[in-house]
Amino acid sequence: MNVLLVSTYESGFQSLGTSVAAAHLLGADVGVKALDLSVTPTPDIDDLCRHDLVGFHLPMFHSVPTAVRVAGRIRQRENAPKIFFYGLYADLFRDKLLGRHGDYVLGTDWEDQIVPLVKRSPDPSVVQLHKRGFVRQNKYRTPARHVLPHLGNYAKLVEDGTHVLAGCVEATRGCAHHCTHCPIPPVYGGKVTIIPEEVVLADIDNLVTMGARHVSFIDPDFLNVPRHSLSIMQAVNDKYPFLTYDFVAKVSHFRRHEQYVRELAKLGLKFVLTAMEFNDNEVLDILKKKHDIDDLDWSIGLFHELGVHLKPTFVMVNPWAEVGDIMDLLEFVETRGLIDAVDPIQYKIRLLLFKNSPLMDSVGLYASLGEESDYYTEWRHRNPAVEELHREICRWVDEAVERHLSAEDIFHGVKRRVAERLPPGYRSSIGPAPVKLPPAECPRFNVPNYCCTEPTEGLEELKGLL
C-alpha cells in the first residue's frame, strides 16, 4: 500500500495536517509521499494515479475547491485510486464530499482513523468513519516535516525589509466558544483537544533545524488553555531565545487571561491576530463574540503597553452594516493607529454563510438569500450601494497589492471609495481613542493573513465544480 497525501492550501504555510498524517502512516510502515498544490499547482494526474490511496487535507474553506477539482480529475481515470478527505472542512462537509468526490471522509480528529483506513482494518470505528466525526484517542506523533517542500517555499515573516523563514504549529485544536459565523463550533461543539507539550516542542525543534526563526501558532485560540500555552513558550524561549512567534486569540480572552498575556509577551511575541470583526455592539452580539467596543479599546491599550502588535481581522461587509457603519469601522482603524496592522485582504472580507450556518435566519431578515449550494449560501445586502462598494473595494485592493502600495495608501484608497457613497448627513459615531497610538510598522507575512472568516473569492469556481 502506498499513499499520496495532498496539501491544498494552509494560509501559505507548510502543511501541518499533511505532515502529521505522514508521521502516523510512516510510523505504521506505510509508504508515503506528499504533494503540495500551493507549490505544484498543476500536478501530473497520471503520477497521482500510481498510488493506491490519495488523501486531501481540508483545513480551510478555500482548500475545498482545489481538492474537489483535482480529485475529480483523478476519478475520471480507469485506474483511479481510492480518495479520502480529512481535516476541519472535510468534517463540516462530509455528507457532500462522500461518494460524489471521494470514497472516505475522516473527521477533524482523524489520527486514530488514518492508519486503520489505509490497512483496511475491520475495526467497527473505521467502517463508520464516513458517517461522523471522531474524537481522537490520545495518539500523537511529531509531524514528519521532511515529506513536504522546504520552508523556503512558504510564508515568510517580513519586518524592516527582512524576510524570515516561518512555520506553523498547534498547541490545541478546536475551540471552547460558539461564534456564529465560525466553522469550528459545528464540528467541535465547544471541545478543545490539547496537543502534548513534548510533541509541540519536538515539532518546533524540527522547524528550527529547517531554518525557521519564527513560529505561528494556528490554534483557533491560543488562550483557550493558557497555562499549557505559556508552559510551551517558556520552554521554547529557554532553548531558542532568538525565536519569535505569534498566535490567534479572542478579544474576550485578553481581559480574562491578562496575566498570561503579560507573561507571553516577554517570550518573543511579535504580534497577536484577533477577530475584532466589527466595531458595533449589535453586530458583535449577533456573532456571539462576547466582547464589545470597550473591550477593543482596552485590548489595543494593553498590547501597546506591552510593545506587541495587535493585528485585527474584520467581517467588514455583513448584512447588518450600512455604508456609514463601514466608514465608522475605518475611522476606528485610523484613530486607533491600526492602519499598518490591518492586512489589506481584510477590507475585502464579507460574511461567508457556510452550509447550515446558524446565522441563516438572522441574515434572512436583513438581506436577500440567493442560491444555496452544497457548501454555502449566497446573500445580497438589502442596500445595493453596499454591494457596489464591496466590488469597488475588492478591485482597488487587488490593484493596490499588485502595485505594492503601502498599507496606508491602500487604507486611504478604501476610505475614499467609502466616502464617495456615504448618505447625506452622515456623522461618524467614533469617539477619540482612549490611548493615542503613534504610527508603527507592523511585521506581517508575505501572504494574506486572516482568521476563521475567509475571502469569498473563488466561490463561483466551487459552484461550477459541483
Side-chain angles (χ1 to χ4, degrees):
M1 173 68 71
N2 61 91
V3 179
L4 177 68
L5 297 173
V6 181
S7 170
T8 47
Y9 184 74
E10 205 155 315
S11 296
F13 292 107
Q14 186 191 63
S15 173
L16 180 58
T18 303
S19 55
V20 170
H24 282 268
L25 293 174
L26 291 170
D29 296 322
V30 175
V32 179
K33 289 185 179 180
L35 170 69
D36 192 331
L37 295 176
S38 70
V39 177
T40 308
T42 54
D44 184 334
I45 300 301
D46 288 332
D47 186 51
L48 271 59
C49 289
R50 294 189 181 99
H51 298 83
D52 301 306
L53 192 64
V54 178
F56 291 86
H57 184 223
L58 306 182
M60 308 176 70
F61 190 93
H62 277 70
S63 60
V64 177
T66 302
V68 167
R69 182 177 63 251
V70 176
R73 294 178 63 196
I74 292 174
R75 299 189 99 194
Q76 290 174 353
R77 303 300 174 94
E78 290 185 7
N79 60 334
K82 296 290 186 180
I83 291 173
F84 71 95
F85 301 99
Y86 65 105
L88 175 64
Y89 279 92
D91 198 317
L92 189 66
F93 298 141
R94 58 188 179 275
D95 294 337
K96 307 303 177 185
L97 292 168
L98 186 65
R100 186 183 306 182
H101 303 294
D103 303 284
Y104 308 99
V105 175
L106 307 187
T108 308
D109 289 322
W110 38 262
E111 283 88 340
D112 278 348
Q113 286 77 53
I114 191 166
V115 171
L117 168 65
V118 170
K119 297 206 168 190
R120 299 296 195 272
S121 164
D123 186 326
S125 67
V126 179
V127 175
Q128 298 297 323
L129 58 78
H130 63 284
K131 294 186 177 179
R132 59 185 176 88
F134 283 80
V135 177
R136 177 167 31 176
Q137 298 170 0
N138 298 318
K139 290 185 180 179
Y140 307 88
R141 289 184 179 273
T142 304
R145 299 277 181 176
H146 66 279
V147 302
L148 287 162
H150 187 266
L151 291 182
N153 292 278
Y154 298 98
K156 300 174 182 65
L157 184 73
V158 182
E159 186 175 22
D160 299 326
T162 301
H163 288 62
V164 177
L165 289 184
C168 69
V169 295
E170 62 180 359
T172 61
R173 215 182 280 175
C175 188
H177 299 276
H178 296 271
C179 302
T180 52
H181 65 308
C182 179
I184 296 172
V187 173
Y188 280 95
K191 179 176 71 73
V192 176
T193 301
I194 299 174
I195 310 299
E197 182 171 327
E198 62 271 20
V199 173
V200 182
L201 295 178
D203 191 25
I204 292 175
D205 284 340
N206 289 339
L207 287 171
V208 171
T209 300
M210 295 168 68
R213 294 299 178 264
H214 181 90
V215 293
S216 183
F217 283 89
I218 60 172
D219 311 39
D221 193 319
F222 195 58
L223 298 179
N224 267 322
V225 192
R227 184 174 300 179
H228 175 61
S229 300
L230 178 59
S231 178
I232 288 172
M233 282 316 304
Q234 287 172 332
V236 170
N237 190 254
D238 285 344
K239 190 171 185 178
Y240 305 114
F242 55 83
L243 193 68
T244 60
Y245 75 107
D246 70 87
F247 65 78
V248 179
K250 283 175 64 69
V251 171
S252 60
H253 275 168
F254 300 144
R255 276 194 200 262
R256 185 179 310 163
H257 302 307
E258 178 184 352
Q259 192 53 49
Y260 285 101
V261 173
R262 290 184 178 276
E263 292 300 317
L264 287 165
K266 303 173 186 176
L267 304 173
L269 181 59
K270 279 290 183 182
F271 64 84
V272 173
L273 190 70
T274 190
M276 291 187 181
E277 309 302 20
F278 213 76
N279 63 314
D280 179 274
N281 287 339
E282 182 180 348
V283 175
L284 294 174
D285 284 343
I286 293 171
L287 300 180
K288 293 188 178 180
K289 295 303 298 181
K290 296 186 178 180
H291 70 252
D292 58 24
I293 297 174
D294 290 339
D295 293 322
L296 299 182
D297 277 326
W298 185 90
S299 300
I300 292 168
L302 171 65
F303 282 95
H304 175 62
E305 174 194 340
L306 297 175
V308 175
H309 295 278
L310 190 62
K311 291 172 67 70
T313 65
F314 302 115
V315 186
M316 196 166 98
V317 177
N318 62 73
W320 312 283
E322 294 287 348
V323 176
D325 300 316
I326 296 173
M327 177 58 84
D328 283 351
L329 177 60
L330 298 177
E331 292 281 354
F332 180 86
V333 169
E334 187 169 21
T335 58
R336 272 57 180 177
L338 297 173
I339 291 176
D340 202 70
V342 177
D343 193 297
I345 200 170
Q346 291 302 317
Y347 303 122
K348 300 169 59 176
I349 299 290
R350 65 182 286 141
L351 180 70
L352 173 60
L353 280 180
F354 55 84
K355 180 74 173 180
N356 297 325
S357 167
L359 283 174
M360 200 72 72
D361 290 341
S362 178
V363 171
L365 294 174
Y366 291 85
S368 299
L369 295 178
E371 182 178 346
E372 182 178 5
S373 77
D374 285 341
Y375 297 91
Y376 70 97
T377 299
E378 296 177 349
W379 66 272
R380 290 291 177 268
H381 201 284
R382 60 186 174 185
N383 182 355
V386 174
E387 293 294 338
E388 294 170 7
L389 175 62
H390 179 243
R391 290 191 289 270
E392 178 60 25
I393 288 175
C394 288
R395 285 192 291 268
W396 161 247
V397 171
D398 288 344
E399 175 191 339
V401 170
E402 182 72 21
R403 291 165 55 191
H404 302 288
L405 298 185
S406 68
E408 186 169 0
D409 287 341
I410 294 174
F411 170 84
H412 287 295
V414 171
K415 188 176 180 183
R416 185 166 58 251
R417 285 159 174 78
V418 176
E420 291 170 354
R421 289 170 173 78
L422 283 173
Y426 163 79
R427 293 183 63 182
S428 174
S429 63
I430 302 301
V435 179
K436 182 65 177 177
L437 302 183
E441 183 176 351
C442 183
R444 64 179 70 239
F445 292 113
N446 62 341
V447 295
N449 204 203
Y450 39 84
C451 197
C452 58
T453 303
E454 300 182 39
T456 51
E457 297 162 292
L459 295 186
E460 288 300 318
E461 176 195 10
L462 180 56
K463 186 193 302 181
L465 290 169
L466 304 177

